[in-house]
Amino acid sequence: MHLTIAIATWNRADLLAETLASLATLDVPEGVTWEVLIGDNNSSDHTKEVAQEFVAMKDRGAPLKGKPGLTKVDYLFEGTQGKSHALNRMLNEATGQWVLFLDDDVLVDPKWMRSYVDAIAKYPKAGVFGGAVLPRLYKDVKGKRAFLLEHYPGAYGVLRLEADTPIANPKPTPGGANMAVLREAAMKDGFTTHLGMIGGQRIAGEDSGMAISIIIQGYE
């Protein structure tokens, strides 16, 4: 099995470096090969320099050197502003049968890739999967913020899944921070380009829209 890990990013160079470095912790199943695509959506910070360290697998990117099954790390610059443009660019460039999307502020669990590989084997009729997205807290959250995080986790991109859950319209649908799509199915319509982060403007729905599009095609 060949997988593509795709990360769209915009002006979060230092967080992106942490996300990429966390890939070095992955438990790669035997027989799996994988590539990493970094889709830079017209960043004005040092995103390109950070990405190139991982492409070259030196300095900050050195932990990826020799990682089992890793075929390449590629940097793609997408100048049309809008996250969905970067997502579609990576879909077009991907060589994996499945594309695993991460956000640029995510730290992966070591079992993350293995979980998707197991799910793909378990559900051969599926075209889209999603996983839990848990909060990354540097200190205790109290008061109003704690209340909002507990009662309105979706506003913070938090998605808790305790067991296998069928995806239905309108929800639950995967969050783009942790989502896998069958490339062949995703390519049919692509991500809707007027949705998603566009510069500093957040318009939600590009991820759920993709999931629903794949389901409409007849996939589970």
Side-chain angles (χ1 to χ4, degrees), residues 16-37:
L16 173 67
E18 294 183 44
T19 296
L20 290 167
S22 77
L23 299 179
T25 70
L26 285 174
D27 173 19
V28 180
E30 187 175 352
V32 171
T33 59
W34 53 294
E35 63 181 1
V36 180
L37 300 182

Side-chain angles (χ1 to χ4, degrees), residues 10-147:
W10 179 69
N11 286 346
R12 280 177 161 178
D14 294 331
L15 287 173
L16 173 67
E18 294 183 44
T19 296
L20 290 167
S22 77
L23 299 179
T25 70
L26 285 174
D27 173 19
V28 180
E30 187 175 352
V32 171
T33 59
W34 53 294
E35 63 181 1
V36 180
L37 300 182
I38 305 163
D40 180 357
N41 189 212
N42 201 29
S43 295
S44 58
D45 65 356
H46 55 292
T47 289
K48 181 177 181 179
E49 289 73 20
V50 165
Q52 286 178 333
E53 290 185 46
F54 284 86
V55 170
M57 296 187 193
K58 63 180 184 179
D59 300 329
R60 277 180 286 198
L64 292 182
K65 185 177 290 186
K67 190 69 182 170
L70 179 60
T71 59
K72 66 176 180 179
V73 180
D74 267 3
Y75 169 80
L76 306 174
F77 182 83
E78 175 51 61
T80 303
Q81 200 72 61
K83 180 181 178 182
S84 289
H85 290 287
L87 296 175
N88 287 332
R89 173 74 184 279
M90 291 187 291
L91 266 182
N92 286 326
E93 299 283 346
T95 62
Q97 180 186 7
W98 283 84
V99 182
L100 282 54
F101 289 101
L102 288 173
D103 275 356
D104 58 2
D105 58 351
V106 168
L107 300 181
V108 295
D109 184 278
K111 298 294 184 183
W112 176 73
M113 180 188 290
R114 182 174 291 276
S115 294
Y116 275 120
V117 170
D118 290 346
I120 291 166
K122 185 176 180 180
Y123 299 103
K125 295 181 180 180
V128 57
F129 292 100
V133 182
L134 304 179
R136 181 180 177 185
L137 305 175
Y138 295 97
K139 60 182 179 181
D140 291 340
V141 179
K142 300 177 181 179
K144 181 179 179 180
R145 289 182 177 178
F147 175 86

